[in-house]
Amino acid sequence: MSWFDAARPRGTHPDAVAAQLIVIAKEPRPGRVKTRLTPPFTPQDAASLAEGALADTLAAAAAARMTRHVLALDGVPGDWLPAGFDVIGQRGGGLDERLAAAFADTHARLPLPMVLIGMDTPQVTPGLLTDAAQALACGEADAVFGPAADGGFWLLGLRKPDRSLLAGVPMSRQDTGRHQLDRLTSAGLRVAMMPELTDVDTVREAELVAAAIPGSRFAAAFDLAMAGLAPAGIRPPR
């Protein structure tokens, strides 16, 4: 038995890509998530949208065949968490520090390449995630980067953790993605690019993503939230 077989988590498919998938997320509690959606939505509606997005993201992640699946969570797991995930706590101050810590803590348990995503792109597919992992596992790339339409990024993959690649990168800005990509290329890393996706931060973005994934938990939560606006005659901004 090789060291890899010994380290492989129980239940992992033998054809899985030799990489790890990290989902970094907040527990979907009212007042703590999707605050940019309130108003026009209520904090409870925003939390329901966040829970739907998280559940859909985790479902896609679970279906991506990788050696290990990790949830780096700020909060407590709920019934939205499927089986097969190792849950670790987030640590650090800003988002840049928490991302760096998630990579480091995941790699400390199992030294395999890592692909990290957030909970804001519920339209992500298992195929996209597997492609990102494969680019790292086969040695084609040292890093994988998925730009977001708002100027941020929805995916970051690394063959090994390196705090200097993330620490100090300004987060939640229109130029966050450019700064992060510059940090990767300035370090001399070979970067594989993923398609641009839309993050859900505004009502218009939520509408676009819900329309792209009809039948999803996120789309159902969005329809319910919109129905709640209709009796009050509220028109969400477009």
Side-chain angles (χ1 to χ4, degrees):
M1 178 184 294
S2 69
W3 76 269
F4 174 78
D5 289 329
R8 187 194 303 273
R10 292 182 180 179
T12 300
H13 194 280
D15 294 332
V17 179
Q20 306 177 81
L21 182 59
I22 309 167
V23 178
I24 187 165
K26 290 181 179 179
E27 178 188 357
R29 288 166 45 193
R32 296 189 69 246
V33 290
K34 296 299 173 200
T35 55
R36 290 176 61 184
L37 298 179
T38 57
F41 297 133
T42 67
Q44 183 59 56
D45 285 337
S48 295
L49 284 164
E51 181 172 335
L54 180 55
D56 290 336
T57 300
L58 291 171
R65 287 187 171 179
M66 298 190 205
T67 301
R68 183 179 176 221
H69 298 77
V70 177
L71 173 63
L73 181 65
D74 176 5
V76 179
D79 57 9
W80 36 262
L81 178 63
F85 281 80
D86 290 340
V87 179
I88 62 175
Q90 293 183 27
R91 59 183 180 85
L95 180 56
D96 58 328
E97 295 179 0
R98 286 181 279 130
L99 293 175
F103 279 113
D105 294 345
T106 298
H107 197 265
R109 161 76 187 278
L110 189 63
L112 289 176
M114 299 157 290
V115 172
L116 181 147
I117 60 171
M119 57 187 286
D120 294 331
T121 50
Q123 73 274 38
V124 70
T125 65
L128 279 175
L129 298 173
T130 302
D131 287 347
Q134 188 63 49
L136 297 172
C138 73
E140 171 189 326
D142 305 307
V144 183
F145 186 79
D150 63 0
F153 61 93
W154 67 272
L155 178 147
L156 179 61
L158 298 173
R159 287 185 57 81
K160 60 180 66 174
D162 185 341
R163 185 176 182 277
S164 69
L165 296 175
L166 285 149
V169 172
M171 296 289 165
S172 302
R173 297 185 353 183
Q174 292 183 342
D175 59 354
T176 291
R178 177 175 61 80
H179 280 284
Q180 184 60 73
L181 185 57
D182 285 348
R183 188 70 67 90
L184 299 175
T185 56
S186 295
L189 302 184
R190 298 167 299 153
V191 181
M193 298 297 295
M194 299 297 292
E196 181 181 276
L197 293 186
T198 298
D199 269 354
V200 175
D201 286 314
T202 67
V203 175
R204 177 55 178 162
E205 290 165 347
E207 181 182 30
L208 290 172
V209 171
I213 47 174
S216 66
R217 286 188 58 172
F218 180 79
F222 180 77
D223 289 344
L224 190 60
M226 289 296 292
L229 298 182
I234 299 174
R235 290 180 175 272
R238 299 184 65 85

